[in-house]
Amino acid sequence: MTSPQQRFVFSPTPCDQRSPGLQDARGDTVWTPLISCPAQFPVELFADAGQQLVDHPEYNSTLILRSETLTELLPESGELPQAIPRLRGTFVLKSTLRKLLPRRPGRDGSVDQHCTMYAIEGHHGASILILTPLPDQAGSLPYYHPQVFHIAFRYLPSPASDPHDGVNAAPSARLQVEVVAFPNVPLDPNSRVYRTCLALLETLHRYGWGAMTSYKKRVNHDRIIPREEYQDLYLLMRERHKHHVDSWQESTDPLKHVFEDIGIATFLILLWKKMFNVDRTGAPIGTNDPRTRDGVRNSYNARDEDGSPPWFSWPGPPGGFIDLGCGNGLLVHILLSEGYQGFGVDVRARTSWSHYPLSTQRHLHVKALDPTLSLTGADPGTIVSDLTIAETPPSIEPDTDPSGSLQCSQKEKDDQAPSPLQIPRGVFVIGNHADELTPYVPILSIMYGASGYLNIPCCPWDLDQKFSRANSEQYPLPGCDIDDNDGPGEVSAGTRVGDTMAGDDRWIESLNLGGDGKFTSSYSVYRIWLARLTSWCGWETETEVLRIPSTRNWALVGRKRRRREEVSRQRVEEILTKVREREVFAVRRPEGRQGDH
């Protein structure tokens, strides 16, 4: 991308304050457009520019000393505070609660403020930033803060362009500031609120220009699945499953979670089509079969002879799928609805579970998994004792696949002894923000004799507890850990993260971590650690940045082995032995009454 030699001129224009602004989902807030200017940078840089605005409020006011981040809130971590606006046709990407500290605390007080990034429905990048101050008990704000309930910064694309397609800004794309002001606060161009917003808009414009002049694509999407193929199928999947937004049973944001799971399901369907050479019945598919040839899609709107969509005959995992920590169960429901076999487990049933069809409910189970139990001598595909249940199985007896390949637990016996799930050989393991099970996904995939896995990390956990870059056990980089005979390598497992972090920079860059390229943040260090563990277990480390509405959209994809199965099984057994010896990992107890799902 060519950088401009001279900064674009900032040319603001007052808005017609009678024109419509943002649409409040609850219908009780009126937004007033205040001022706008040409954007002159692509929407992909809006999040970077907006984040600088959040990180450095002191650059816009000599009365502010600095800000301190109190909490970082992600929609997947639970319901967002009521003070954060809900907007029609958008979903929250993340929200930061910060405290603004005054330069003169004897004269001015501090104030807490929510800084929330939004994306437009159907897109995954931020295009709205809203600042929401929290007034004191008297309902007042410090002098240095404008007298408003909310300030919104919007990226408005050209009507004739896709705001998230490419990195070139459309000539008519604009930045716009809108406010929800306190009663009787003037908003004319001579008012204090207007002048403050004008200064903030100029700063945002400058940050966008600065990001563009040094712009380098942070992450590469579509490394495994071509963008066009993904987008074609996603549009159809969205139409088939978007009704879940209107019937959402959880307290979390339906726009975010429904479209996120639709995106993950779309990726999995196309990944499985690419990976496997057997159809849903287990029958082999020839290399020239149109169901496996790249680019042979005809039309996704076409129908097979039996009237089903074409992907109903596409290849799938020979052992079905298992979703570890399936949460609301929507991903499981979508995949089952699209003809795949599998099930999900979690430590507690969600409200949504009882609202799915019975055919889905039978595949959602309350289980407390202990991934540390040994499988020494077990044949992959037989009863897998590492899924021993820490409480009674569900009251609903799961279905059995007609082929007999997906056998789940039977009803509780009279003595209420724990009953393990049976995991078939060739199962595909899904770990979508699976918390403490995240680092066990590549390990369990080896233990199960899995056909592959998708692991999307969120909260950082190592094999014992919350991840710590200082104390978590490290594993060698690929190329340093094995010789030609799959023997021990130059760097032994058991070193600490910081001891070998200066290893193969090219391999680390290949992980497509994004960020500033320094890979020093806690989340980057955790993902490097997780990728090294994955490689040590015997998997090729392939990564993908998924096109989903989440800031935690980086994923590890396991579809290729890099060493013999017996070597991999020996290594994961050694890992689990050490975990058991440390006696730190705690199995979470199931929640809810006996008989719940």
Side-chain angles (χ1 to χ4, degrees), residues 234-270:
Y234 174 80
L235 292 176
L236 288 175
M237 289 293 167
R238 185 179 68 180
E239 291 303 307
R240 290 168 65 86
H241 298 286
K242 68 180 183 181
H243 62 275
H244 292 292
V245 171
D246 298 326
S247 58
W248 192 244
Q249 301 296 321
E250 309 293 338
S251 60
T252 50
D253 183 358
L255 283 175
K256 179 200 180 298
H257 289 277
V258 170
F259 291 111
E260 178 177 320
D261 284 347
I262 292 173
I264 295 173
T266 301
F267 178 83
L268 284 170
I269 290 171
L270 292 169

Side-chain angles (χ1 to χ4, degrees), residues 276-568:
F276 302 114
N277 59 359
V278 294
D279 64 17
R280 307 292 179 85
T281 66
I285 296 177
T287 55
N288 293 322
D289 193 298
R291 288 175 289 181
T292 59
R293 291 207 306 268
D294 290 336
V296 181
R297 298 195 309 272
N298 295 321
S299 169
Y300 285 148
N301 290 313
R303 296 280 169 171
D304 287 344
E305 294 180 359
D306 62 356
S308 61
W311 54 87
F312 268 59
S313 62
W314 288 355
F321 68 85
I322 176 173
D323 187 356
L324 302 177
C326 63
N328 57 56
L330 180 58
L331 178 58
V332 174
H333 173 66
I334 292 174
L335 292 173
L336 292 173
S337 300
E338 300 303 341
Y340 294 89
Q341 291 294 324
F343 57 96
V345 295
D346 209 304
V347 292
R348 65 181 177 91
R350 302 302 200 275
T351 304
S352 299
W353 289 17
S354 60
H355 293 265
Y356 293 128
L358 194 60
S359 57
T360 294
Q361 293 184 40
R362 287 195 293 260
H363 294 270
L364 297 171
H365 312 296
V366 174
K367 305 291 182 185
L369 312 183
D370 185 354
T372 69
L373 298 183
S374 173
L375 276 182
T376 301
D379 177 37
T382 60
I383 295 178
V384 179
S385 58
D386 61 294
L387 279 179
T388 298
I389 311 308
E391 62 128 43
T392 59
S395 59
I396 298 177
E397 184 173 4
D399 283 340
T400 300
D401 182 73
S403 67
S405 63
L406 267 180
Q407 299 178 14
C408 298
S409 61
Q410 297 181 353
K411 285 185 177 180
E412 181 73 340
K413 295 181 179 180
D414 293 338
D415 59 2
Q416 296 188 359
S419 173
L421 289 172
Q422 290 185 336
I423 309 299
R425 176 184 287 275
V427 71
F428 189 95
V429 180
I430 302 170
N432 178 20
H433 299 179
D435 292 343
E436 73 274 9
L437 293 179
T438 297
Y440 285 97
V441 168
I443 294 174
L444 294 177
S445 298
I446 294 293
M447 296 166 69
Y448 297 165
S451 56
Y453 68 84
L454 176 69
N455 197 10
I456 311 172
C458 182
C459 301
W461 287 79
D462 65 18
L463 297 169
D464 296 314
Q465 56 197 344
K466 289 283 189 178
F467 175 79
S468 166
R469 69 174 78 194
N471 298 318
S472 295
E473 184 174 305
Q474 185 59 284
Y475 299 90
L477 287 165
C480 298
D481 59 337
I482 58 172
D483 59 23
D484 293 339
N485 297 316
D486 281 332
E490 301 171 7
V491 183
S492 61
T495 56
R496 298 298 168 184
V497 174
D499 296 340
T500 56
M501 193 52 69
D504 189 347
D505 290 341
R506 286 201 308 175
W507 179 79
I508 293 175
E509 289 181 2
S510 75
L511 298 178
N512 200 24
L513 299 172
D516 58 7
K518 298 178 181 178
F519 313 128
T520 56
S521 70
S522 296
Y523 186 53
S524 291
V525 171
Y526 175 64
R527 288 180 289 165
I528 294 170
W529 176 87
L530 189 61
R532 293 168 71 152
L533 170 64
T534 296
S535 175
W536 179 255
C537 291
W539 293 98
E540 291 284 352
T541 49
E542 292 187 273
T543 66
E544 182 64 278
V545 179
L546 302 174
R547 292 183 175 274
I548 59 175
S550 173
T551 56
R552 296 294 190 256
N553 60 342
W554 182 88
L556 280 162
V557 179
R559 56 176 180 159
K560 301 175 184 176
R561 301 288 187 94
R562 62 186 301 265
R563 61 170 55 85
R564 299 191 308 271
E565 182 173 337
E566 61 269 23
V567 175
S568 294

Side-chain angles (χ1 to χ4, degrees), residues 117-256:
M117 290 280 190
Y118 298 75
I120 302 298
E121 179 184 344
H123 300 288
H124 63 274
S127 58
I128 301 172
L129 168 64
I130 295 183
L131 308 181
T132 303
L134 302 179
D136 60 20
Q137 292 183 350
S140 61
L141 294 171
Y143 174 78
Y144 55 80
H145 197 290
Q147 301 302 293
V148 296
F149 296 107
H150 310 285
I151 304 176
F153 303 88
R154 301 178 63 186
Y155 189 103
L156 301 176
S158 166
S161 67
D162 182 345
H164 290 76
D165 187 13
V167 296
N168 293 317
S172 58
R174 299 186 70 82
L175 298 174
Q176 181 165 298
V177 179
E178 300 179 15
V179 299
V180 179
F182 283 3
N184 303 318
V185 170
L187 299 178
D188 62 272
N190 294 318
S191 67
R192 184 167 170 266
V193 170
Y194 186 97
R195 295 196 308 271
T196 300
C197 290
L198 177 63
L200 290 170
L201 180 63
E202 182 176 15
T203 301
L204 182 65
H205 180 270
R206 184 174 69 252
Y207 286 157
W209 176 84
M212 187 169 64
T213 56
S214 58
Y215 179 68
K216 178 182 178 183
K217 193 171 179 64
R218 288 188 161 192
V219 297
N220 294 300
H221 295 276
D222 318 308
R223 301 175 99 189
I224 297 175
I225 303 299
R227 181 185 68 173
E228 295 78 8
E229 194 171 348
Y230 174 87
Q231 290 176 335
D232 287 347
L233 183 57
Y234 174 80
L235 292 176
L236 288 175
M237 289 293 167
R238 185 179 68 180
E239 291 303 307
R240 290 168 65 86
H241 298 286
K242 68 180 183 181
H243 62 275
H244 292 292
V245 171
D246 298 326
S247 58
W248 192 244
Q249 301 296 321
E250 309 293 338
S251 60
T252 50
D253 183 358
L255 283 175
K256 179 200 180 298

Side-chain angles (χ1 to χ4, degrees), residues 92-113:
V92 173
L93 289 173
K94 68 173 183 177
S95 184
T96 301
L97 178 61
R98 67 177 181 178
K99 183 181 290 292
L100 300 178
L101 301 177
R103 189 172 295 276
R104 298 181 180 179
R107 187 181 68 177
D108 300 314
S110 61
V111 62
D112 292 351
Q113 187 185 67

